[in-house]
Amino acid sequence: MTERGEKQVSRNSSEFVIGPSSLQWDGNKLTIQILERAVPFGQKIAGTVELYPNSLFNFSTPLDAAGKHRWGPLAPSARVKVNLNSPDLKWEGNAYLDSNEGDEPISQSFHEWDWSRAEMSGGRTSVIYDVREKNAQENILALTFNPNGTIDHFEPPPRQALPKTIWGIQGHMRNQNSESLRVQKILENTPFYTRSVLNSELLGEKVLSFHETLSVPKLTLATTQFMLPWRMPRVTW
């Protein structure tokens, strides 16, 4: 990812342009055109990602008590096709697309959060957002998005601790018991953020959950801020 300045970003009703890359919606699918450089060696990343929603949701809810940060899935269940020519990489599978927006930096409101998504039987998708704010207030969202466009709220299971990462991040997962919870694969492991695939249990089903933990205190550390531009360059002109 590359952070880009205002002059390199534009959008209209069907297209969002970010530097040399873009997102285009044709009413049926979202096409992401990628033309970027990787860090730290500048190797080329180019190709397309196509996302086909199984259903679309016009849903948004606050993540914090003040309502300054909002989240909502656009396509809780979808299909994705990845076709990169640099590097040569092609695959397709199940997908998910959501939206986050805020009126202030996340460091102003949050201490940490755990988020998870699981594909359930019957084409349903369940999401748990377990948020801890800086003022120690907790906000827990436990929602199931159904293929017919309805949304069900459910009582989240107890919070279970996950193994600490090498960076000392203590993640948590809402699961009925610790015995049925297992980290299957770690996808990202950074000083302030981790993303994993978990074997878990939800609403009486054994499921595969995608899970993330964000630690805001670790994000705002001076050492982390020093390292960020090496992973995510910033182009302001």
Side-chain angles (χ1 to χ4, degrees):
M1 294 189 297
T2 300
E3 291 188 340
R4 300 188 183 274
E6 182 179 1
K7 293 181 180 179
Q8 291 190 315
V9 178
S10 64
R11 68 177 181 177
N12 54 40
S13 60
S14 60
E15 185 179 42
F16 181 28
V17 178
I18 311 171
S21 301
S22 66
L23 296 85
Q24 297 173 325
W25 173 250
D26 65 5
N28 182 48
K29 70 177 183 300
L30 180 70
T31 301
I32 305 169
Q33 300 281 352
I34 301 171
L35 182 57
E36 299 289 344
R37 293 284 179 178
V39 290
F41 304 113
Q43 58 268 41
K44 185 179 180 181
I45 301 178
T48 62
V49 176
E50 294 179 337
L51 184 133
Y52 299 81
N54 294 327
S55 55
L56 291 170
F57 283 74
N58 184 17
F59 172 82
S60 180
T61 186
L63 292 175
D64 61 315
K68 293 186 177 182
H69 301 267
R70 298 162 296 279
W71 159 85
L74 303 174
S77 176
R79 294 289 298 171
V80 66
K81 293 182 180 180
V82 177
N83 188 356
L84 301 182
N85 51 55
S86 181
D88 185 13
L89 180 64
K90 296 175 176 61
W91 61 271
E92 59 181 271
N94 298 329
Y96 164 94
L97 177 68
D98 69 3
S99 171
N100 282 276
E101 61 182 21
D103 303 324
E104 64 182 11
I106 59 175
S107 57
Q108 296 293 108
S109 297
F110 300 113
H111 176 71
E112 63 184 7
W113 72 54
D114 293 281
W115 170 95
S116 65
R117 169 182 66 91
E119 294 179 2
M120 313 294 291
S121 61
R124 300 171 299 149
T125 300
S126 292
V127 177
I128 300 177
Y129 232 129
D130 193 351
V131 178
R132 276 81 77 193
E133 297 189 48
K134 288 182 71 173
N135 59 10
Q137 181 169 333
E138 296 186 356
N139 185 24
I140 303 173
L141 299 170
L143 304 168
T144 296
F145 297 87
N146 303 306
N148 63 2
T150 60
I151 303 171
D152 296 325
H153 295 255
F154 63 90
E155 184 68 25
R159 183 183 291 153
Q160 308 288 348
L162 294 169
K164 279 189 177 183
T165 70
I166 59 173
W167 299 99
I169 296 178
Q170 177 67 77
H172 296 86
M173 176 65 175
R174 292 283 176 162
N175 203 69
Q176 195 58 45
N177 56 70
S178 58
E179 288 76 18
S180 61
L181 182 63
R182 184 171 63 87
V183 178
Q184 186 181 98
K185 187 176 183 179
I186 296 175
L187 303 176
E188 289 190 63
N189 193 354
T190 79
F192 64 93
Y193 174 86
T194 181
R195 177 178 285 255
S196 306
V197 179
L198 307 179
N199 290 113
S200 59
E201 188 176 349
L202 186 62
L203 299 174
E205 299 183 27
K206 292 184 178 180
V207 295
L208 201 64
S209 294
F210 286 84
H211 174 273
E212 72 175 21
T213 300
L214 172 71
S215 172
V216 176
K218 290 183 178 295
L219 169 64
T220 55
L221 286 174
T223 51
T224 303
Q225 292 298 307
F226 174 78
M227 290 188 289
L228 273 177
W230 300 95
R231 179 66 182 266
M232 191 166 64
R234 179 173 296 173
V235 180
T236 57
W237 34 264

